Amino acid sequence: MNRAAPRPSAALFPPAEERQRYDNFLTHELMLARQRIELGPVMPAFDLQAFRQELAGFDFRTPRPLDEALSWTIGQMEHGLVHITHPRYFGLYNPAPAFPAQCADRIAGSFNPQLATATTSPAAVEIEAHVIRAVAQRAGFPSEATGHFTSGGSEANYTALICALTRSNENFASEGSRAFKGKPVFYVSRESHLAWLKIAHQAGIGRSAVRLVATDGSGRMDANALAAAIAGDRRLGCVPVMIAATAGTTNAGMIDPLTACAEIAQTSGVWFHVDAAWGGALIASDRLRNILDGIERADSTTIDAHKWFATTMGCGMFITKHALVLSSAFQAATSFMPSNAAGIDPYVTSVQWSRRFLGLRLFLSLAAAGWNGYGEHVERSIELAGMLEQELTARKWLIANQSPLAVLCIEPPRHCGEAKAIVQRVLASGRVWIASAGFEGRDIIRACVTHGETTEDDIHELVDALQDASKAAA
Ligand SMILES: Cc1ncc(COP(=O)(O)O)c(C=O)c1O
């Protein structure tokens, strides 16, 4: 009996000409939204209750036309987000994505390659490996260095800790933290990114394993305090496994003393990791690369492409000199995977199993801009941050950090209100977006100038917004 197969769902798999129409519609609508966003507030007013009511209308019983759902979604994104793509967004390090990275997302979404194994996606796996090698070499790592793309800095830092534990004790893989005679501990500065606490929890060694080493008053890890902490822990029977220095602290862009940390790691026999999640982009600049001197001595490093390399989120990188440690930490063999070769198949050398083609974002961006283009991108940011500093200090504002990167920790002039109150007023104005943060125990206003299209006018607008808010808050 000949029975025709059921037709594919037209809503999920529309025919080619329909797709073309939706594609054109989407491209056009997104371009218009982008133009409107640039002219509007960085942080639109958002009525969450009204939004929830509208959202509840999607009960998924009655299908809606796709173009209607697309328009609705774009409209909600336009009014329901802090616009990190706005040139007056001086916020966290998440960028306005570079255009080639956006193109990469379209390509990845279209081919949807499975990057777990090289057997099924050899071209994609090779492209990622090529980019990782290029970044590793640029960071001064040896040619045998390896690594992979991650969901972000947290996953990359987690990978570093698992590697450190695996190398420190050959029974960690089978016994977990029970393999250690004493409590395994690791060292980061108290200005480091505190995802380290979650990471210790996830790794099963507990949050109390994180030693928050004192800083030097300028936001950098105090190397003497680090050495003393390791010695103290040893006396107590703890087992130091890793020093993770930060190259570009989250709040203040400070660089821990990488060479001193590398020396201490070497004499203590512990894994040395450099969390260069956002500062790592400096490798692109021949002029500024020396700011990261010492990174090449690390056993591993984290560099996020979705921060200063301006790819779409999330796109981190974990790079290490120790391919064998990496593969013994994440090995697995199954009958259903077509292959499981360490160093070739990403799922046996990394946390993830199924994986998206993230590395294409940096590949296309690097292909289009070259290292020089990225070098100019980071140098430009630093120049704009310098202009901001000049304008502010001329008006008696204070800069609490001496960062070589593009972030300022700003304190208001005397009698001009508290930092937090000023930030609230600035945010309420919608003119620019800045953050409240702490630096060396002080409340500060943080302005990060990493958006690739921010102009001098945008800097003036930020200064004016701060001045106005401080007068109102005084
Ligand atoms: C220094 C540093 N490390 C790690 C992270 C965490 O990275 P992600 O948010 O990509 O997981 C951040 C995020 O800002 C960071 O600044």
Side-chain angles (χ1 to χ4, degrees):
M1 188 174 65
N2 272 348
R3 207 152 58 93
R7 297 170 75 83
S9 157
L12 298 178
F13 308 103
E17 61 281 8
E18 278 281 281
R19 287 181 192 228
Q20 181 74 63
R21 192 176 65 76
Y22 286 131
D23 255 355
N24 295 345
F25 173 75
L26 197 53
T27 304
H28 184 67
E29 291 299 310
L30 286 173
M31 195 190 62
L32 293 181
R34 182 182 145 86
Q35 287 166 358
R36 286 193 299 268
I37 286 167
E38 270 182 25
L39 298 174
V42 186
M43 191 171 93
F46 183 59
D47 183 342
L48 185 59
Q49 284 312 323
F51 176 72
R52 283 186 176 151
Q53 265 175 20
E54 257 200 65
L55 190 58
F58 285 86
D59 60 6
F60 308 130
R61 286 197 202 103
T62 319
R64 300 202 189 183
L66 181 59
D67 37 13
E68 188 187 307
L70 292 174
S71 292
W72 183 87
T73 307
I74 292 171
Q76 299 308 324
M77 296 299 108
E78 207 175 322
H79 298 107
L81 300 177
V82 170
H83 289 304
I84 67 175
T85 61
H86 198 297
R88 291 179 183 173
Y89 173 79
F90 298 96
L92 314 175
Y93 308 106
N94 316 130
F99 185 65
Q102 292 183 313
C103 296
D105 279 346
R106 283 187 71 172
I107 296 173
S110 187
F111 287 90
N112 201 27
Q114 163 60 291
L115 266 77
T117 77
T119 305
T120 56
S121 309
V125 168
E126 277 299 312
I127 288 174
E128 284 204 340
H130 180 72
V131 178
I132 290 288
R133 275 194 300 273
V135 173
Q137 273 168 34
R138 193 85 195 173
F141 276 52
S143 56
E144 70 272 16
T146 182
H148 52 267
F149 281 87
T150 63
S151 58
S154 299
E155 184 195 321
N157 284 345
Y158 171 74
T159 306
L161 178 59
I162 296 294
C163 285
L165 288 161
T166 303
R167 190 182 69 170
S168 175
N169 188 315
E170 60 183 2
N171 294 323
F172 174 73
S174 59
E175 302 303 317
S177 59
R178 289 183 302 275
F180 288 89
K181 291 227 163 63
K183 178 186 169 81
V185 291
F186 68 98
Y187 304 84
V188 295
S189 93
R190 68 173 180 209
E191 291 278 330
S192 66
H193 194 282
L194 292 184
W196 284 115
L197 296 169
K198 290 190 351 181
I199 287 167
H201 185 160
Q202 270 174 271
I205 59 173
R207 292 171 184 237
S208 64
V210 186
R211 300 296 197 236
L212 295 175
V213 178
T215 44
D216 61 359
S218 301
R220 288 178 286 248
M221 175 135 51
D222 178 337
N224 291 328
L226 170 66
I230 292 175
D233 277 332
R234 285 239 157 89
R235 278 195 299 277
L236 292 172
C238 297
V239 183
V241 296
M242 177 175 81
I243 296 168
T246 310
T249 55
T250 311
N251 279 349
M254 301 309 296
I255 315 265
D256 285 342
L258 301 184
T259 303
C261 290
E263 294 290 332
I264 295 170
Q266 196 173 341
T267 46
S268 317
V270 303
W271 188 275
F272 179 42
H273 178 70
V274 175
D275 176 3
W278 86 274
L282 287 182
I283 60 169
S285 163
D286 290 335
R287 189 155 61 76
L288 303 173
R289 159 71 183 76
N290 65 334
I291 292 170
L292 296 177
D293 277 356
I295 192 173
E296 69 287 346
R297 293 187 59 179
D299 294 297
S300 60
T301 188
T302 290
I303 300 178
D304 273 353
H306 70 223
K307 290 193 168 75
W308 216 354
F309 278 112
T311 70
T312 48
M313 283 194 274
C315 191
M317 286 175 278
F318 175 76
I319 292 169
T320 180
K321 293 172 180 164
H322 306 289
L324 277 178
V325 177
L326 192 58
S327 56
S328 60
F330 296 102
Q331 60 173 300
T334 65
S335 57
F336 59 84
M337 294 300 276
S339 62
N340 45 49
I344 297 176
D345 292 317
Y347 85 100
V348 287
T349 46
S350 66
V351 174
Q352 296 176 33
W353 197 288
S354 289
R355 65 168 55 237
R356 186 178 166 85
F357 193 6
L358 300 176
L360 185 62
R361 301 163 180 180
L362 188 55
F363 174 78
L364 285 182
S365 302
L366 268 171
W371 287 112
N372 276 347
Y374 265 123
E376 284 162 15
H377 164 68
V378 295
E379 286 164 18
R380 178 180 188 280
S381 291
I382 290 172
E383 211 169 309
L384 283 168
M387 286 179 195
L388 176 60
E389 175 164 2
Q390 261 183 4
E391 288 209 23
L392 286 171
T393 50
R395 289 166 178 78
K396 303 218 170 350
W397 291 70
L398 305 171
I399 306 301
N401 64 333
Q402 300 294 310
S403 170
L405 312 187
V407 63
L408 299 181
C409 294
I410 304 164
E411 292 178 297
R414 274 166 169 268
H415 313 303
C416 283
E418 302 288 320
K420 279 189 178 147
I422 293 175
V423 170
Q424 272 173 10
R425 282 176 192 278
V426 169
L427 295 185
S429 78
R431 292 161 72 182
V432 297
W433 201 92
I434 46 172
S436 277
F439 175 62
E440 291 286 3
R442 277 137 58 196
D443 285 341
I444 50 96
I445 300 165
R446 197 182 70 154
C448 181
V449 196
T450 50
H451 190 303
E453 291 169 299
T454 294
T455 62
E456 270 175 277
D457 282 349
D458 299 320
I459 298 288
H460 299 321
E461 181 68 15
L462 169 56
V463 173
D464 288 349
L466 283 169
Q467 288 275 91
D468 292 349
S470 71
K471 279 181 207 139

